[in-house]
Amino acid sequence: MRLEHIGVAVDAPDAAARTFRALLKATPYKTETVPDQGVRTHFLDAGAAKLELLEALGEDSPVRSFLEQRGEGVHHIAFSVPSLTATVEQLRAAGFELLSETPQNGADDKQIVFVHPKQTHGVLVEFCAPRTPDWSPRRIARPHGSVSAFVRGPEDAPPLVVLHGAVGSTRHETAPLIQRLESSFRVIGVDLSGHGDSALPDAPLTLDLFAADVCAVLDALDVPDAHVVGFSLGGGVALHLAATRPERVRRLAVLQTTVSWTEAQAAQMKQRLALDALEERAPARADRIRRRHTAPTPLLRRVRAFVDTLPAAAQALADGRLAVTAPTLVVAVDRDPLFPLDDALSLHRRVRTARLTVLPGTRHAFHALPLDALLPPLHTHLTASARIAS
Ligand code: CO
């Protein structure tokens, strides 16, 4: 169990956000309406836990009566638990009265339950656990089978495509980023051909094929153009799409991506993608790969062959045969063991419309990205309206 967040009831969220920005240098990274609770929540990152600013919605909002009776202030403290069912049982057995019979839907993809404050010294205590969100894919037909897309967030929000890395998938890799972006964007997670839920074609995997996957998904959703965020291989696909189909890309962000592939890097990457060797070196990772993809063994074989084509593909961007004109945010971690910082600097130099953010990090893995540090610059980049002067 750990302290997850502190709920603070506020009269005017804008004014409260200004105050907390001055106080903590933190701005709300996510706003979400929770109809079940009669609130709109604004989350701030406050280090070890979050702050949840609570704005009353509707006449019978419990937060409205709290504000009327007691004014602004701390409303509840919330602890995260692995299983809400088990916690509810323990609380009932210990004689605690809960405010609802069963767990309710809360903000941030969580199920929540409150303990009556008369039994807890006037402190309203929430317990929360991750809800299994709806990650059922839409399957979009491609000549070789189907690709899967996971669409989340408001339909009228700006569309944003999120692309995973080599041998990654939306559900098992980029989902946490999607959840952090889905209140501001219509987020479209795409499982690239052969990855996750998407069919593996008989033909070789190429950047053109992956870029066409994205276009097929956008066509099926009737989205003419979108922001695109990609990690590693996904970043390479995003750059290729922006260079070859510029009309489909608004703004681009590439995370831990290189376009300066050397033969040595390609060899190193291929080593990471050899399932037999992984079996010995990292059995847990090998097992995850087997479970997460439709056809893991052929997928890895194809991705290794694909990696061989990358030094030549990178050359096309390097020598100007392919040019990216969309405003681009290049995000690197300072000690990426696979792509040295020089690669990010060189990408930043080559794309004339690029900005650069370097985050502290020592791993080449999506789940190791410090999302709390990534979100503010990413958000600023994607919501900026001005073109970056080239
Ligand atoms: Co809460």
Side-chain angles (χ1 to χ4, degrees):
M1 178 188 313
R2 66 179 180 87
L3 180 64
E4 215 280 337
H5 64 265
I6 297 174
V8 179
V10 299
D11 288 323
D14 288 351
R18 273 197 300 281
T19 306
F20 283 104
R21 184 160 52 232
L23 195 64
L24 305 173
K25 299 195 170 50
T27 39
Y29 63 80
K30 174 168 171 172
T31 294
E32 188 178 344
T33 300
V34 189
D36 286 6
Q37 305 294 324
V39 291
R40 186 176 292 128
T41 60
H42 308 260
F43 284 99
L44 273 85
D45 182 4
K50 303 167 190 161
L51 288 187
E52 183 188 44
L53 304 182
L54 299 160
E55 174 191 359
L57 276 191
E59 283 316 304
D60 48 4
S61 163
V63 169
R64 181 167 319 277
S65 38
F66 179 94
L67 285 166
E68 278 163 8
Q69 285 164 31
R70 302 174 47 176
E72 291 186 305
V74 172
H75 177 267
H76 66 269
I77 56 177
F79 297 92
S80 75
V81 292
S83 158
L84 213 48
T85 323
T87 302
V88 164
E89 254 175 54
Q90 287 160 15
L91 291 169
R92 288 231 169 90
F96 286 105
E97 190 186 321
L98 305 179
L99 292 191
S100 61
E101 275 301 303
T102 52
Q104 312 270 300
N105 287 337
D108 215 17
D109 266 324
K110 292 205 167 52
Q111 289 233 294
I112 60 172
V113 74
F114 287 104
V115 181
H116 202 293
K118 74 183 175 197
Q119 290 176 301
T120 48
H121 308 271
V123 181
L124 179 58
V125 176
E126 170 190 327
F127 289 95
C128 59
R131 176 157 39 108
T132 316
D134 178 19
W135 287 97
S136 41
R138 298 196 194 181
R139 292 181 205 283
I140 287 134
R142 298 272 287 125
H144 60 267
S146 67
V147 295
S148 292
F150 301 81
V151 186
R152 299 175 56 94
E155 224 167 281
D156 56 350
L160 164 65
V161 171
V162 176
L163 302 175
H164 57 76
V167 200
S169 73
T170 303
R171 264 193 285 222
H172 295 108
E173 191 171 86
T174 52
L177 177 64
I178 292 176
Q179 284 176 286
R180 297 281 291 260
L181 292 168
E182 68 188 34
S183 59
S184 315
F185 299 94
R186 184 183 188 203
V187 194
I188 305 161
V190 177
D191 278 358
L192 297 168
S193 274
H195 291 75
D197 266 3
S198 295
L200 181 67
D202 279 331
L205 300 176
T206 61
L207 284 171
D208 279 327
L209 172 87
F210 291 140
D213 288 343
V214 177
C215 291
V217 170
L218 292 179
D219 289 344
L221 297 172
D222 221 1
V223 173
D225 54 76
H227 301 308
V228 184
V229 177
F231 169 73
S232 195
L233 160 75
V237 175
L239 287 165
H240 188 75
L241 179 69
T244 53
R245 303 293 302 274
E247 75 283 2
R248 306 225 69 166
V249 177
R250 294 187 193 177
R251 282 176 170 260
L252 199 61
V254 295
L255 321 174
Q256 294 185 265
T257 297
T258 189
V259 294
S260 343
W261 281 95
T262 59
E263 302 291 340
Q265 277 171 318
Q268 200 187 347
M269 184 63 148
K270 280 169 69 181
Q271 242 177 19
R272 289 167 57 107
L273 296 167
L275 204 50
D276 297 345
L278 267 181
E279 221 70 85
E280 303 233 320
R281 201 162 37 82
R285 176 164 151 78
D287 183 52
R288 283 198 299 274
I289 290 173
R290 287 198 190 288
R291 279 185 285 114
R292 290 176 184 177
H293 305 282
T294 320
T297 308
L299 169 66
L300 263 73
R301 197 169 52 234
R302 295 293 177 69
V303 174
R304 287 199 303 277
F306 166 72
V307 168
D308 279 331
T309 69
L310 289 174
Q315 199 52 42
L317 266 176
D319 62 23
R321 273 176 290 147
L322 284 179
V324 171
T325 52
T328 300
L329 182 68
V330 175
V331 179
V333 306
D334 62 339
R335 297 195 182 280
D336 185 326
L338 201 58
F339 303 147
L341 195 50
D342 282 347
D343 285 12
L345 296 174
S346 118
L347 174 55
H348 175 249
R349 266 195 309 274
R350 279 176 195 169
V351 178
R352 291 187 308 151
T353 48
R355 288 287 163 87
L356 177 67
T357 293
V358 180
L359 303 172
T362 57
R363 301 188 54 192
H364 190 85
F366 188 89
H367 65 84
L369 266 172
L371 286 191
D372 288 338
L374 168 64
L375 262 294
L378 182 60
H379 214 274
T380 303
H381 171 67
L382 294 174
T383 52
S385 53
R387 310 279 304 178
I388 297 172
S390 56

